[in-house]
Structure formats: structure tokens, C-alpha cells
Amino acid sequence: VVITMRGHSSGKVRKIGLMRVEHGGEYALIGSYGGRAENPVWVNNLLADPRVTIQDGPEAHSYRVREVFDEERDEWFRRGVAVFPNYADYQARTERVIPVFVATRAD
């Protein structure tokens, strides 16, 4: 899926492609960064402004994201691993807890 957001410093439009992790009309945005020690830059964008557009197919829609923690984070992370097993390897490579955001339709 393609996520469109605003850069937290520049205010410019930023687009990223992420694995499609969808459940019940919501999407998980998993900040794995290949298991690196730091979060991907886009995590800061979402923390600064939770409004995004997600394109999954021909149409894009507005969503609001929120970071999830504890059991909810674990549940969404498992869904991500089911779609893309490398997420489990990435988590094993890093000491940080890979952040997970859930996007809920806003329009």
C-alpha cells in the first residue's frame, strides 16, 4: 500500500510503500526499518501528524493513525508477520520494540 503523509520538519508531502497488513478495514503500519537500531524517519511524521492517505488499489482514502502498545501491538505485529515473515527476523535483529501504528478510515 502507498501511504501519503506530511514531513514533520519540512511539511512536504511524503510517500512510502509498506506491506499490506489489513484487518477489518484497518491497516497496520509497521516501522521495521529492516531491523536497524533506529526507527524509520516516517515514524516521526506520524507522531507529529496522524492524518494520512492510504492507497490500496485504485482509490486512496483518508485515515488517522495511532501507535498501539502492549497486547494490541503484539496482535497487529503477529498479523504483519503472517503477511511478511521477515518482520519477526527484523524484530530479532534490534533491541528496540518495532513501532506499530493502526490506521482507521477517517472519510
Side-chain angles (χ1 to χ4, degrees), residues 45-100:
N45 296 343
L46 297 183
L47 292 172
D49 185 351
R51 297 170 299 169
V52 300
T53 302
I54 297 178
Q55 184 167 353
D56 181 10
E59 292 185 29
H61 297 280
S62 297
Y63 287 80
R64 269 190 113 53
V65 300
R66 62 187 172 84
E67 189 170 6
V68 292
F69 301 94
D70 303 320
E71 294 87 20
E72 187 178 15
R73 182 244 176 235
D74 295 344
E75 182 177 353
W76 279 99
F77 193 78
R78 279 192 299 274
R79 290 175 180 145
V81 169
V83 171
F84 186 64
N86 288 358
Y87 283 141
D89 297 333
Y90 298 160
Q91 184 60 81
R93 281 187 209 160
T94 186
E95 292 183 19
R96 70 183 170 93
V97 175
I98 291 175
V100 176

Side-chain angles (χ1 to χ4, degrees), residues 4-24:
T4 303
M5 65 191 78
R6 290 270 171 205
H8 71 283
S9 294
S10 68
K12 293 181 180 178
V13 172
R14 303 292 185 207
K15 293 186 179 200
I16 59 169
L18 293 177
M19 295 300 299
R20 183 182 190 275
V21 181
E22 184 272 337
H23 179 78

Side-chain angles (χ1 to χ4, degrees), residues 22-41:
E22 184 272 337
H23 179 78
E26 295 181 307
Y27 292 85
L29 286 60
I30 299 176
S32 64
Y33 208 22
R36 292 186 179 109
E38 66 277 350
N39 287 329
V41 173

